[in-house]
Amino acid sequence: MKIMKFGGTSVGKPERMHQVAQLITKTDEPKIVVLSALSGTTNSLVGISSHLAQSDRGGAKQAIDKLEAHYRDFVLQLATTEEGRKKADAIVTEHFEFLNIILRISFSEALNKDILAQGELLSTKLFSVFLEEQNIPHVFLLALDFMTIDANEEPQLGSIKVKLSQILKQHKDAKLFVTQGYICRNSRGEVDNLKRGGSDYTASLIAAAIKATVCEIWTDIDGMHNNDPRVVDKTLPIKQISFEEAAELAYFGAKILHPTCIWPAQQTNVPVKLLNTMQPEADGTVITEDAGSMGVKAVAAKDGIIAIKIKSSRMLLAYGFLRKIFEVFEKYRTSIDMVTTSEVAVSLTIDNDTFLKEIVKELEQFGSVEVDTNQTIISVVGNEIAQTEHVLQQLFTAIADIPVRMVSYGGSHHNITILVQSDYKIKTLQLLNKGLFGL
Ligand code: ASP
Ligand code: MG
């Protein structure tokens, strides 16, 4: 059995949904299809929630009406029969009635999660109606019946496995299942979600739970690229890459894949394929245990980074100093990305400034503290990159004119990370494209 996950743009237009129906019926292999919300929907739902959080019912009502109009239009083009149109319209009515009722209830975090869940419920239900119209047999699964997170918001893979296999057992002869990405139930039994972009995570968790043959992630680009195609002219899809390299790239900015979605597939050794709905014949990227080749594979950038330097002459030969510093970050639940040390100073980076003031205040007891905002992490990723000849030389020759704030090398075998001011990001990515890939 395989998993096919389609992102928001892959289902965001009626004709795209038609195309998805073709893609999932190309082979007989049993499959579970995971869908995101139509593109733009989750953003709109977030908007509706924030109007309500500020008690702006008028604003919320306007946003609800606008979104409803979008869905009415969508249904008109999606359905091909009168009966299908009626069914699809009834689904839209049901979900927008719910949103309109919410307008009258006092807002809470649990309600917010209910609002956010509407997108994936709508996309999968509408798709199911379309499949029915096309006489494509399938089973509609409610992710809320098996996808759960614990009190720390971590998915409960063991329980997901048990629940899902029980459900699948009830449909022994079925070859096609359709379910929602992103949504789940939390430890209180309420509707919750796997955070923005979490549909990839759903796909990978399901793939791990049923030990799928492959987890296909269908988006609107032909795989993971060697560089950011939004700011660099010539980029190429990567054919094969290891789980570790992919995780590193996803975490450090490759937008195509949600960073958390690697581990479930990796743990159960299910290959992940990144494919393009608009160009289904393209090879895309295969992510497996095996990296395929050595050397530099890709560069990625992550913006919004804050560099913090703690300088102390007392640190000289002091043990326990780093622990004390890290404890401050632990206390404020702020994770650290990069670390470099010299004998008298430590520099590190964070991407979350929620507790920056508090952190700086506590760090000041250890020495002088400097904060640089607007930094970008550029990560150069490749299998055994540390052992690849001339990589460092090529890298630094390529960016000789760029002021580099920090360098981290040797933390893993497949990564070199540098920190630059965000103003230099595009230039750095372009120079690396030439210097490392000759593009
Ligand atoms: N619809 C959700 C979002 O936009 C989840 C996803 O698309 O992966 O964040
Ligand atoms: Mg997405």
Side-chain angles (χ1 to χ4, degrees):
M1 191 170 237
K2 74 170 177 176
I3 312 301
M4 296 177 85
K5 180 260 169 180
F6 294 88
T9 47
S10 300
V11 291
K13 296 215 168 95
E15 63 270 24
R16 299 255 162 85
M17 248 192 201
H18 294 174
Q19 202 191 345
V20 169
Q22 284 178 2
L23 283 172
I24 62 173
T25 46
K26 260 195 186 148
T27 65
D28 276 343
E29 185 177 5
K31 48 190 83 82
I32 300 181
V33 173
V34 177
L35 301 186
S36 287
L38 313 194
S39 50
T41 296
T42 309
N43 284 343
S44 301
L45 295 169
V46 168
I48 292 165
S49 270
S50 60
H51 282 302
L52 289 175
Q54 294 156 24
S55 306
D56 173 12
R57 275 163 216 247
K61 175 69 181 149
Q62 240 177 24
I64 292 172
D65 289 347
K66 193 171 161 209
L67 191 62
E68 178 169 353
H70 178 70
Y71 275 85
R72 295 284 173 210
D73 223 36
F74 188 90
V75 161
L76 276 182
Q77 297 170 55
L78 176 74
T80 52
T81 62
E82 195 46 39
E83 202 195 333
R85 188 147 29 241
K86 273 195 193 137
K87 276 192 188 161
D89 250 329
I91 289 164
V92 175
T93 301
E94 178 200 331
H95 286 272
F96 282 89
E97 261 173 17
F98 173 77
L99 287 173
N100 278 295
I101 288 170
I102 272 178
L103 276 179
R104 286 175 253 131
I105 306 175
S106 64
F107 186 75
S108 66
E109 191 45 36
L111 207 55
N112 173 37
K113 301 285 172 62
D114 270 319
I115 295 173
L116 296 180
Q118 300 308 304
E120 272 68 13
L121 290 170
L122 275 162
S123 66
T124 48
K125 287 186 187 178
L126 294 175
F127 185 61
S128 174
V129 166
F130 177 69
L131 291 180
E132 218 175 284
E133 265 191 337
Q134 303 299 307
N135 295 315
I136 299 171
H138 66 284
V139 177
F140 180 89
L141 299 181
L142 198 57
L144 302 175
D145 291 339
F146 58 87
M147 194 53 73
T148 53
I149 51 174
D150 64 17
N152 294 318
E153 306 192 331
E154 294 297 334
Q156 299 173 297
L157 190 51
S159 144
I160 295 167
K161 204 168 163 173
V162 172
K163 284 188 178 146
L164 186 55
S165 64
Q166 276 167 358
I167 294 171
L168 295 180
K169 253 191 224 144
Q170 291 164 18
H171 306 278
K172 275 215 176 77
D173 300 325
K175 287 245 153 87
L176 179 62
F177 297 87
V178 175
T179 195
Q180 306 78 39
Y182 181 59
I183 64 174
C184 62
R185 271 190 204 283
N186 61 27
S187 57
R188 294 180 296 278
E190 300 157 347
V191 172
D192 210 316
N193 62 62
L194 301 175
K195 312 250 162 66
R196 292 307 305 272
S199 295
D200 292 343
Y201 203 9
T202 303
S204 168
L205 286 163
I206 295 180
I210 64 159
K211 190 87 180 68
T213 51
V214 56
C215 177
E216 296 181 352
I217 308 278
W218 292 78
T219 64
D220 52 2
I221 173 166
D222 51 352
M224 206 175 240
H225 278 225
N226 72 305
N227 204 329
D228 188 342
R230 289 165 304 182
V231 295
V232 176
D233 277 345
K234 272 185 259 159
T235 65
L236 295 170
I238 305 165
K239 283 227 152 51
Q240 191 179 349
I241 188 168
S242 69
F243 287 119
E244 269 150 52
E245 292 170 306
E248 204 108 47
L249 282 172
Y251 184 69
F252 286 118
K255 287 282 173 304
I256 184 167
L257 197 63
H258 199 269
T260 50
C261 98
I262 306 283
W263 75 260
Q266 180 173 20
Q267 213 175 57
T268 45
N269 206 7
V270 175
V272 176
K273 269 191 185 171
L274 308 178
L275 296 158
N276 187 353
T277 317
M278 324 303 163
Q279 215 186 314
E281 341 55 62
D283 291 341
T285 300
V286 185
I287 309 170
T288 59
E289 225 165 31
D290 179 9
S293 60
M294 300 268 289
V296 183
K297 288 253 175 64
V299 297
K302 188 177 178 198
D303 293 321
I305 303 295
I306 300 146
I308 303 174
K309 182 163 84 185
I310 306 113
K311 201 171 157 193
S312 161
S313 46
R314 279 178 293 143
M315 182 186 160
L316 205 65
L317 297 177
Y319 48 82
F321 186 82
L322 283 177
R323 177 176 56 79
K324 285 183 201 141
I325 288 179
F326 288 154
E327 269 170 3
V328 175
F329 290 86
E330 189 182 346
K331 179 172 167 194
Y332 292 101
R333 306 183 88 212
T334 300
S335 80
I336 297 168
D337 285 332
M338 272 178 95
V339 186
T340 56
T341 67
S342 79
E343 195 49 48
V344 292
V346 183
S347 272
L348 41 81
T349 70
I350 57 174
D351 64 0
N352 175 355
D353 65 357
T354 317
F355 297 108
L356 183 60
K357 257 201 210 129
E358 290 84 346
I359 288 172
V360 169
K361 192 149 185 272
E362 293 211 18
L363 289 176
E364 272 165 351
Q365 57 181 311
F366 304 119
S368 66
V369 178
E370 261 173 53
V371 175
D372 293 317
T373 52
N374 286 324
Q375 305 287 310
T376 294
I377 284 181
I378 310 243
S379 185
V380 181
V381 171
N383 182 32
E384 301 297 343
I385 197 171
Q387 270 105 287
T388 309
E389 262 181 66
H390 308 307
V391 169
L392 282 181
Q393 188 197 340
Q394 275 176 356
L395 194 162
F396 288 108
T397 307
I399 58 166
D401 295 332
I402 305 281
V404 174
R405 167 75 175 75
M406 278 167 73
V407 179
S408 175
Y409 173 82
S412 87
H413 288 302
H414 22 257
N415 170 285
I416 304 167
T417 309
I418 59 173
L419 188 73
V420 298
Q421 232 177 56
S422 298
D423 295 344
Y424 289 105
K425 166 183 134 175
I426 294 179
K427 183 96 198 143
T428 308
L429 290 178
Q430 287 167 344
L431 289 171
L432 289 175
N433 216 43
K434 269 204 203 90
L436 295 179
F437 303 102
L439 292 171

